[in-house]
Amino acid sequence: MFEQTFKNIDDVLWKEAGCGTELDYTEQTSWLLFLKYLDDLEQERAMEAELRGKSYEFILDERYRWSYWAVPKLPSGEIDRNNFLTGDDLIQYVNNVLFPHLQGFKQRAASSDTIEYKIGEIFGEIKNKFQSGYSLREALERIDELRFQTQQEKHELSHLYETKIKNMGNAGRNGGEYYTPRPLIRAMIKVVKPKIGERIYDGACGSAGFLCESYDYLRQGKLTTQQLELLQTGTLFGKEKKSLAYVIAIMNLILHGVDAPNIIHTNTLTENISDIQDKDRFDVIFANPPFGGKERKEVQQNFPIKTGETAFLFLQHFIKILKVGGRAAIVIKNTFLSNSDNASRALRQELLSSCNLHSILDCPGGTFIGAGVKTVVLFFDKGNHSDSVQGMPLFSQAKSPIEGMATRKVWYYQLDPGRNMGKTNALNDEDLREFVELQATFTDSEKSWSVDVADIDWETCDLSVKNPNKAEEIALRDPQKILDEIAALDEESAEILAGIGGMLG
């Protein structure tokens, strides 16, 4: 229904001098989509109020509404071309009037969980990159073709928007920060099995893929009005540091059906984990935290295990903020399982001590487009004993390694789709079906096996993936022996050819 409209919007952006990358396309589409959505939402709420004989107080004053400045209409429904802005007048209005007004909502909002606050936050971070008012005018009219009234319309728009995010991820390394393959996310959710009434959290939410897929998972089946309200307002929570990712996350959740997403624009790692209290904790955590980053010394002071590796700090945060008995699935680079540095080893020991690390999914290279490292997914439950990350880790409390250990056995699965992964051979749901099925009973197979924690060398705490069920590969032959064999064959061939030549002579 709307696919061609999205293509037309991209065509406009491609010709716009201020937009040079897929990231720019997604960013500019996002703020335009948001304002069109907001206008549709307000019009719908106003009609509902009128039917009930009540008045509706609009969030935006008339002169700032989409239907007033962006695409004003005649009573016939046609665009009022005598009263719309274009060219330099349109750019001046957007940059000097509209955006400053929308930015002010952050200060005027009653609280951070309101749509008013989200408006202020979004337009405080995003910039209009259109330089031509004529290009912007064309983009506005294309966006106006989109509708948000029905669930079917929202579903298609969310699918098209997800495609834009995926394209942004495929466009290069920076774009890849925002996109986790959706089949992998869905498999993680199927293993963890979140429920209505549980609070789900992603402290590095990027484009909110985990939260959107969690919403779709929980939305299945018939829900009561109370359950729907709880799913809308008290189930999905996220934090995101980067401005563009924050805006995309908000828009992505809105398109999936969450009217006022609980996403906070903040650097999660600046929070001291010793300040986390029971009321702050979550039942379920899904995340693919950024790895390879280097955090400053003052940020590292917020964590008992000091390291500059961003992903390792996030893992400490997730362990601490997870409720006792809570469940988590975290993507992390596979070198975490075997790195010999003190921080990596200490963090592995801490994870095994304070949590039940019951499953590890080993992902093939190419799972993440544009990422040059292999990854694993850690599935763990929070242990029932004292919260060790708060102070001194268990492994340094003069206790034996096995004493009080939350993890007893780790089940591994080595994912092998049977093909090279890449843009044209991306991961799909079928690739992960066997993993989900076998994980439910921790079944051993050619691709899966279990390791008893008592058999792990506690000094190194090496958890690396070593499949005992995989057939041994044939050892490589000595290169010199191969060269000698080739030389011998060459001599034999020369003798045969000489003999043939003699017979012909």
Side-chain angles (χ1 to χ4, degrees), residues 30-314:
S30 296
W31 74 260
L32 293 170
L33 271 175
F34 179 81
L35 291 179
K36 175 63 166 68
Y37 160 79
L38 185 60
D39 192 64
D40 280 10
L41 178 68
E42 294 238 79
Q43 296 294 344
E44 184 181 336
R45 288 179 175 177
M47 287 176 62
E48 288 175 357
E50 186 178 351
L51 289 172
R52 294 195 304 267
K54 297 181 179 179
S55 60
Y56 174 74
E57 186 175 342
F58 280 81
I59 296 169
L60 298 182
D61 293 338
E62 185 177 20
R63 64 179 298 219
Y64 303 110
R65 293 177 207 158
W66 178 274
S67 49
Y68 180 86
W69 68 269
V71 188
K73 303 281 180 65
L74 296 166
S76 62
E78 297 292 315
I79 297 173
D80 185 355
R81 300 195 177 275
N82 293 322
N83 287 301
F84 66 34
L85 296 169
T86 192
D88 291 342
D89 291 341
L90 179 57
I91 296 295
Q92 185 177 5
Y93 172 81
V94 169
N95 292 344
N96 301 332
V97 179
L98 180 66
F99 269 51
H101 176 75
L102 298 176
Q103 289 162 7
F105 271 95
K106 186 173 179 179
Q107 285 71 43
R108 298 191 294 270
S111 66
S112 61
D113 60 355
T114 59
I115 196 166
E116 288 86 349
Y117 186 90
K118 297 295 184 288
I119 293 170
E121 189 83 331
I122 288 171
F123 289 93
E125 297 300 334
I126 210 163
K127 289 182 173 61
N128 168 38
K129 291 186 178 178
F130 282 91
Q131 295 176 5
S132 165
Y134 299 101
S135 293
L136 178 54
R137 165 54 48 204
E138 188 177 353
L140 291 171
E141 293 184 20
R142 294 298 186 188
I143 291 283
D144 193 64
E145 297 170 11
L146 306 175
R147 297 186 303 277
F148 300 84
Q149 272 86 15
T150 68
Q151 281 300 121
Q152 182 182 354
E153 288 167 349
K154 286 183 179 179
H155 178 76
E156 185 185 354
L157 286 169
S158 68
H159 175 73
L160 291 168
Y161 192 68
E162 283 275 353
T163 301
K164 288 191 73 66
I165 298 170
K166 183 177 181 179
N167 291 340
M168 184 175 70
N170 290 345
R173 186 176 182 276
N174 291 335
E177 295 174 9
Y178 307 113
Y179 190 79
T180 303
R182 295 323 187 232
L184 179 61
I185 291 177
R186 287 191 285 270
M188 292 164 67
I189 292 171
K190 287 174 185 174
V191 168
V192 174
K193 297 182 180 67
K195 300 186 288 288
I196 294 283
E198 293 183 319
R199 295 187 348 129
I200 302 169
Y201 172 69
D202 182 352
C205 70
S207 60
F210 285 103
L211 299 178
C212 288
E213 289 292 342
S214 294
Y215 179 85
D216 288 346
Y217 176 85
L218 293 170
R219 190 69 179 79
Q220 296 170 14
K222 291 185 178 180
L223 301 180
T224 65
T225 304
Q226 187 177 4
Q227 287 175 322
L228 283 171
E229 177 66 20
L230 185 59
L231 179 56
Q232 275 279 338
T233 60
T235 299
L236 307 170
F237 300 86
K239 294 174 185 172
E240 175 52 45
K241 173 184 176 181
K242 295 192 174 181
S243 301
L244 175 56
Y246 170 79
V247 173
I248 292 171
I250 292 286
M251 195 66 238
N252 205 11
L253 279 163
I254 283 173
L255 288 174
H256 276 78
V258 182
D259 290 340
N262 293 310
I263 307 294
I264 300 173
H265 185 212
T266 184
N267 180 358
T268 304
L269 300 180
T270 58
E271 303 167 19
N272 193 316
I273 66 170
S274 64
D275 295 334
I276 295 173
Q277 302 174 28
D278 282 342
K279 64 180 178 63
D280 306 317
R281 292 188 166 95
F282 295 90
D283 302 282
V284 173
I285 297 176
F286 295 113
N288 175 18
F291 41 77
K294 296 297 178 186
E295 290 296 335
R296 303 184 308 275
K297 292 288 185 184
E298 59 266 30
V299 172
Q300 296 180 39
Q301 296 309 308
N302 294 323
F303 301 88
I305 299 173
K306 306 293 186 287
T307 172
E309 170 57 59
T310 305
F312 295 177
L313 298 178
F314 266 109

Side-chain angles (χ1 to χ4, degrees), residues 20-36:
T21 68
E22 287 281 354
L23 273 71
D24 293 331
Y25 297 174
T26 307
E27 177 187 46
Q28 296 305 295
T29 303
S30 296
W31 74 260
L32 293 170
L33 271 175
F34 179 81
L35 291 179
K36 175 63 166 68

Side-chain angles (χ1 to χ4, degrees), residues 364 367 414-421 425 427 431 447:
T367 297
Q414 196 164 41
L415 182 61
D416 180 12
R419 64 184 187 281
N420 291 327
M421 307 294 290
N425 287 304
L427 202 66
D431 293 329
K447 297 179 184 177

Side-chain angles (χ1 to χ4, degrees), residues 421-460:
M421 307 294 290
K423 290 181 183 179
T424 56
N425 287 304
L427 202 66
N428 60 53
D429 291 293
E430 182 61 25
D431 293 329
L432 289 144
R433 181 180 56 80
E434 183 186 72
F435 159 70
V436 175
E437 290 175 355
L438 295 181
Q439 194 282 333
T441 53
F442 303 107
T443 302
D444 287 355
S445 70
E446 187 178 326
K447 297 179 184 177
S448 59
W449 66 98
S450 296
V451 173
D452 197 308
V453 170
D455 297 331
I456 293 172
D457 182 343
W458 190 249
E459 194 61 35
T460 63

